[in-house]
Amino acid sequence: MTTTRLSARAALASVTDPGSFAELPAPRRQSPADGPLGWTGYDDSRDRARDRTGEQESVVIGTALIGGREATLISFEFGFLGGSLGERTGDRLEAAYTHAREHRLPLVSLIATGGSRMQEGMPALTQLQRVARQCVLTRAAGLPQIAVLRDPATGGGWATLGAGADVVLALPGAQVGFAGSRVRPPDADPAAYTAEGQCAAGHVDAVVAAAELPATLAAWLRVLAAPRSAGHVAPPAALAADVELPPTGWHAVRRARRPERPRAPQYLDAYFDLRLPLSGDRAGGTDPGMLCGFGLREGQAVAYAAQCGTATRPAGYRTAARVIRLADRLGIPVLTLVDTPGAANDAAAEHAGAGAAIADTFVALASVTVPVTTLLIGEGGSGGALALAAPGHTWVTPDSYFSVIAPELAAAILKRPPEAAPATADQLRIRPQDLVSLGVARGIVSPPTPKTPEEPKP
């Protein structure tokens, strides 16, 4: 499946509110004949590209409304020398980034490029450093960057504007990868160079159909432009009087392990009015047992990282840390839901850096300046659960327990028989009410009332 290759302006028109696009003036650069290398015929090639596309360069920059919210936009014209990056392209990209910072606007890039322009050699390649610097300055300004990967998104354009964005969306069937189709190894798996392959590998957040892209971008801008709360996220309602707490530690374990108890998706759907997921650790992995993203709660933006009751894999921790740091940079409070029997401990998890990933999640939570609130909704298994728990701002539900180690494993370590696990659970004091009395949790709360979340959900 391939995506339709739109011109730069058609791509802009496809996602922006009608008539709202205003082009930014292009910086003027005096270049020597045939460019910095004196490449014979280069000026003629640029003239033909201008005649064919009607554009002066390979990118169009400006501002527009998307769903009624203003953004700075960059759109690549693939018909102009393959959407390649040259010195004049870099001038325009820098101008767009600068305008976004000066006017406090989010930046949306519609990327379709084959990479750096060979006819300009190293001066063209160094534009990637220039783009990287602009990306860093825009991050430091606390402004979000959203990339839409069109066909193709390869080379330096993918490795800077694309992969460096905070939110990375892609059109179905788009060619995505650092290596373009003409320079890959002949035996390379073509599926690895697709939007779908990159999403599965954790490098793209979502593959979005062209018809759904305007609404998806509008939803992201709505969330990222929403008011920020100055305090911690409010936990769900206080514990109802008729809810029974587990009488023993073993009852707490069995209750947390019930298949029918509420899980993270139910909590998130009940909590948020609008929820937009982010996927992948940007290091080659995804973990379906870790749900991350941003949403709206009573009109305010909130980030979330939620375990789903499975053993959390290294990619899950890295994804959570990525979202927590992004939320901190954007000034958005964080909600974490803890529910795991523990971190994955198989050989694959160790090879993938389980220890380092867990450590980085601890560091991410310890270093943020935005408020973080945690709700323990099920199993709290050792450090793999504690890595997502906010010190001093953790709440628990009646369906939960938190333990230094699972009671069965604790009994084994103490050289007790398996039937001693229930008594060991009592000794560990892992019930919700125990956690409150020990000062681990602030209080016990009831699950929120379910409600239907707002679409879209890419």
Side-chain angles (χ1 to χ4, degrees):
M1 179 180 180
T2 58
T3 184
T4 302
R5 187 171 286 167
L6 299 177
S7 69
R9 293 181 192 272
L12 287 166
S14 72
V15 300
T16 59
D17 297 357
S20 67
F21 179 71
E23 190 168 357
L24 291 173
R28 295 187 177 274
R29 172 189 289 264
Q30 295 297 324
S31 299
D34 286 327
L37 303 186
W39 185 288
T40 302
Y42 179 39
D43 284 347
D44 292 338
S45 296
R46 286 194 292 195
D47 288 342
R48 289 193 296 272
R50 282 193 289 267
D51 293 341
R52 183 171 56 252
T53 64
E55 303 296 347
Q56 299 298 309
E57 248 304 328
S58 58
V59 294
V60 176
I61 60 173
T63 61
L65 301 179
I66 300 178
R69 287 172 171 79
E70 188 176 8
T72 300
L73 287 105
I74 296 168
S75 186
F76 279 75
E77 176 53 69
F78 189 77
F80 194 104
L81 301 180
S84 56
L85 279 72
E87 289 181 314
R88 291 179 181 175
T89 320
D91 292 342
R92 293 184 176 213
L93 295 176
E94 183 173 291
Y97 273 102
T98 301
H99 184 87
R101 292 194 299 274
E102 290 177 347
H103 296 269
R104 303 296 303 168
L105 296 175
L107 184 80
V108 178
S109 301
L110 310 177
I111 301 171
T113 174
S116 299
R117 194 167 298 171
M118 291 182 298
Q119 297 92 329
E120 295 188 19
M122 281 303 299
L125 188 64
T126 60
Q127 301 308 303
L128 304 184
Q129 296 171 319
R130 194 175 177 188
V131 172
R133 175 61 176 166
Q134 292 302 312
C135 179
V136 168
L137 292 174
T138 305
R139 286 184 176 185
L143 297 171
Q145 301 172 57
I146 303 174
V148 176
L149 308 180
R150 297 155 57 209
D151 183 49
T154 60
W158 158 234
T160 52
L161 283 160
D166 301 315
V167 179
V168 182
L169 310 175
L171 293 174
Q175 180 187 171
V176 179
F178 186 63
S181 59
R182 298 183 183 181
V183 296
R184 297 172 193 156
D187 60 346
D189 178 8
Y193 300 87
T194 64
E196 291 78 6
Q198 295 284 1
C199 188
H203 304 303
V204 169
D205 288 304
V207 178
V208 183
E212 299 172 3
L213 187 57
T216 301
L217 285 174
W220 270 111
L221 293 177
R222 177 184 170 192
V223 169
L224 296 177
R228 274 62 163 153
S229 171
H232 284 80
V233 175
L239 183 66
D242 59 348
V243 175
E244 294 185 2
L245 295 175
T248 68
W250 192 241
H251 278 87
V253 172
R254 294 178 61 186
R255 186 164 171 173
R257 292 175 180 173
R258 288 184 307 158
E260 65 272 19
R261 69 163 171 83
R263 304 284 167 155
Q266 292 95 318
Y267 277 86
L268 294 173
D269 286 345
Y271 192 79
F272 286 105
D273 305 312
L274 170 65
R275 181 163 65 89
L276 297 169
L278 293 176
S279 175
D281 63 357
R282 298 298 185 265
T286 61
D287 181 0
M290 179 75 78
L291 302 180
C292 295
F294 289 79
L296 289 179
R297 165 74 172 178
E298 297 178 350
Q300 293 190 324
V302 178
Y304 65 87
Q307 293 170 314
C308 295
T310 58
T312 304
R313 307 205 65 79
Y317 291 112
R318 284 192 287 264
T319 304
R322 169 199 160 206
V323 171
I324 290 167
R325 289 192 172 103
L326 175 57
D328 189 43
R329 178 154 48 83
L330 299 178
I332 297 175
V334 178
L335 171 68
T336 64
L337 302 183
V338 172
D339 183 10
T340 180
N345 59 5
D346 54 31
E350 295 296 342
H351 283 303
I358 295 169
D360 191 49
T361 306
F362 272 112
V363 170
L365 268 185
S367 59
V368 296
T369 58
V370 296
V372 182
T373 301
T374 297
L375 183 62
L376 175 66
I377 65 172
E379 292 194 78
S382 194
L386 189 66
L388 277 181
H393 291 280
T394 293
W395 303 77
V396 295
T397 69
D399 296 321
S400 66
Y401 77 89
F402 219 145
S403 180
V404 64
I405 192 171
E408 299 94 328
L409 299 179
I413 291 172
L414 295 171
K415 298 182 180 180
R416 296 175 179 176
E419 55 270 22
T424 304
D426 281 338
Q427 285 183 290
L428 289 169
R429 296 188 63 191
I430 59 179
R431 300 174 302 169
Q433 57 267 45
D434 295 326
L435 300 174
V436 174
S437 67
L438 291 170
V440 175
R442 297 188 64 171
I444 306 171
V445 298
S446 293
T449 304
K451 62 182 177 181
T452 303
E454 182 182 329
E455 295 296 334
K457 287 185 184 178

